[in-house]
């Protein structure tokens, strides 16, 4: 079992904010760039990895982050600060099991906490589960990997960015080579 912990702190002076939304009454997309005098982004990351025997491994990580930003004379109810769109809490996990020689089942997921969005909206927290199968093999001295996967296995309805609904499921096939 391994553990990892990290603390981070960004102290940004003169943060250039891209407020790419239409301002009320203008009818035009503003793509407004303006300066935020002082932004602080800080937080904590924790991670644990576990290996049980030769066949199973798992990793779980947690991130907490907080933003403090100065107010500007450009603040209106339609404005937003890009750093404030980050969720305060995120959890990611990954489990990998070797079902047969060089054949793996992988399950991963992420839990993302409630967060602010553009134009004063709040985006709900969401949990997404992904799964896949992978088979590795060798041909002519080259290592290949073939896989099938499904993202958003349970069909969670969520938005990573306000106004853009993520797909119910995404199915895929993958073939890769390592030279």
């Amino acid at each position: 079992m391994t553990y990892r912990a990290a603390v981070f702190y960004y102290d940004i002076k003169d943060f250039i904010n891209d407020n790419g939304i239409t301002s009320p009454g203008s009818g035009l997309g503003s793509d407004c760039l303006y300066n935020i005098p002082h932004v602080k982004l800080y937080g904590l990351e924790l991670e644990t990895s576990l290996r049980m025997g030769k066949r199973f491994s798992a990793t779980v990580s947690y991130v907490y982050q907080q933003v403090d930003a100065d107010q500007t004379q450009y603040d209106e109810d339609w404005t937003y600060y890009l750093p404030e769109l980050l969720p305060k809490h995120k959890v990611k996990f990954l489990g990998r099991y070797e079902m047969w020689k060089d054949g793996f089942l992988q399950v991963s997921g992420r839990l993302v906490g409630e967060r602010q969005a553009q134009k004063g909206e709040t985006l709900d927290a969401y949990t997404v589960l992904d799964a896949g199968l992978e088979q590795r093999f060798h041909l002519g001295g080259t290592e290949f990997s073939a896989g099938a996967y499904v993202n958003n296995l349970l069909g969670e309805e969520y938005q990573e960015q306000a106004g853009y609904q993520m797909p119910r499921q995404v199915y895929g096939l993958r073939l890769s080579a390592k030279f």
Side-chain angles (χ1 to χ4, degrees):
M1 185 174 258
T2 60
Y3 302 97
R4 184 183 69 83
V7 175
F8 59 90
Y9 177 79
Y10 296 93
D11 190 343
I12 305 166
K13 298 206 184 316
D14 297 322
F15 181 88
I16 303 301
N17 193 62
D18 178 0
N19 202 342
I21 58 177
T22 303
S23 60
S26 74
L28 302 172
S30 66
D31 203 20
C32 178
L33 296 173
Y34 61 92
N35 184 53
I36 301 172
H38 197 193
V39 174
K40 293 179 187 175
L41 172 63
Y42 52 93
L44 168 71
E45 298 177 11
L46 303 171
E47 181 179 278
T48 299
S49 294
L50 168 70
R51 184 158 196 90
M52 295 178 63
K54 295 181 181 181
R55 295 185 149 209
F56 179 76
S57 63
T59 300
V60 176
S61 65
Y62 169 75
V63 175
Y64 170 81
Q65 52 197 1
Q66 180 69 40
V67 173
D68 293 326
D70 288 349
Q71 298 296 308
T72 72
Q73 72 261 25
Y74 304 108
D75 293 333
E76 301 287 340
D77 20 340
W78 52 269
T79 62
Y80 62 92
Y81 289 163
L82 289 175
E84 290 179 343
L85 302 182
L86 299 170
K88 284 187 182 183
H89 305 279
K90 286 192 295 190
V91 176
K92 292 184 178 181
F93 58 90
L94 169 70
R96 188 170 171 93
Y97 180 72
E98 186 172 9
M99 297 171 43
W100 53 79
K101 182 171 174 26
D102 295 329
F104 301 91
L105 168 66
Q106 183 169 295
V107 176
S108 64
R110 61 192 182 280
L111 294 81
V112 177
E114 182 180 88
R115 62 223 179 276
Q116 297 302 308
Q118 299 92 330
K119 300 183 183 181
E121 296 179 35
T122 299
L123 291 176
D124 294 333
Y126 65 88
T127 302
V128 175
L129 184 65
D130 304 328
L133 294 170
E134 176 186 9
Q135 181 64 53
R136 295 182 186 163
F137 54 96
H138 293 81
L139 287 174
T142 303
E143 181 182 317
F144 288 91
S145 172
Y149 61 88
V150 60
N151 292 342
N152 196 7
L153 183 66
L154 303 176
E156 175 78 13
E157 291 185 20
Y158 69 101
Q159 295 180 18
E160 289 182 357
Q161 288 195 324
Y164 298 97
Q165 192 68 30
M166 299 304 292
R168 282 297 255 196
Q169 277 97 18
V170 175
Y171 302 92
L173 299 173
R174 179 183 49 76
L175 179 62
S176 63
K178 187 188 289 184
F179 301 101

